[in-house]
Amino acid sequence: MPAPKPLHLAIVGPCGAGKSTLAAALRARGYAVREIAQEHSFVPGLWRHFRRPDVLIYLDAGYETCTRRKRLDWLPHEHDEQRRRLAHARRHCDVYVDTDPLTPDQVLSRVLKALAQPEV
């Protein structure tokens, strides 16, 4: 029996949602992961332009959480604009995680659990 095809993962979300932290943890476990700066692009489907991922992970977080995590000096409308730019990815994501109330380990745990599901 051939080995299963490795999953190619893409992570999107607003600045401060935890993309880099999750990507590092998944890479440490052998996953092929891309962090996509979709929140800075005006191309709605940027997440699928270079290589369409097998699994699209959307990490979400509110303005206050993102500002605190990244020590960002931005205004609420800038966060809202990032989320607007991410709307297409959110509609098409395979895994959605609201990271506001979660630690990085909890986010990783939820994503690994979702990846283990047969429908992903």
Side-chain angles (χ1 to χ4, degrees):
M1 177 183 279
K5 180 181 112 179
L7 290 177
H8 293 276
L9 312 176
I11 305 171
V12 297
C15 291
K19 297 182 300 290
S20 298
T21 303
L22 177 61
L26 290 169
R27 284 187 192 110
R29 285 158 179 79
Y31 286 94
V33 183
R34 286 184 305 128
E35 301 162 65
I36 302 176
Q38 177 76 42
E39 71 273 21
H40 301 295
S41 172
F42 289 100
V43 179
L46 181 68
W47 59 272
R48 62 181 174 188
H49 274 255
F50 304 108
R51 178 192 176 118
R52 189 175 188 120
D54 297 313
V55 178
L56 178 62
I57 301 166
Y58 188 106
L59 298 184
D60 206 356
Y63 169 76
E64 293 81 12
T65 299
C66 292
T67 301
R68 184 183 73 252
R69 287 179 183 164
K70 297 288 278 189
R71 295 183 179 97
L72 296 169
D73 182 20
W74 62 345
L75 299 172
H77 77 272
E78 293 168 297
H79 180 262
D80 292 343
E81 175 62 18
Q82 285 190 7
R83 293 181 85 205
R84 187 192 65 73
R85 292 177 185 178
L86 290 162
H88 183 270
R90 181 168 178 181
R91 281 192 309 273
H92 292 87
C93 72
D94 301 293
V95 178
Y96 173 87
V97 180
D98 177 0
T99 68
D100 272 341
L102 304 175
T103 67
D105 286 339
Q106 290 170 321
V107 172
L108 175 62
S109 177
R110 289 195 184 186
V111 169
L112 290 173
K113 183 176 180 180
L115 293 175
Q117 300 301 316
E119 65 270 5
V120 173

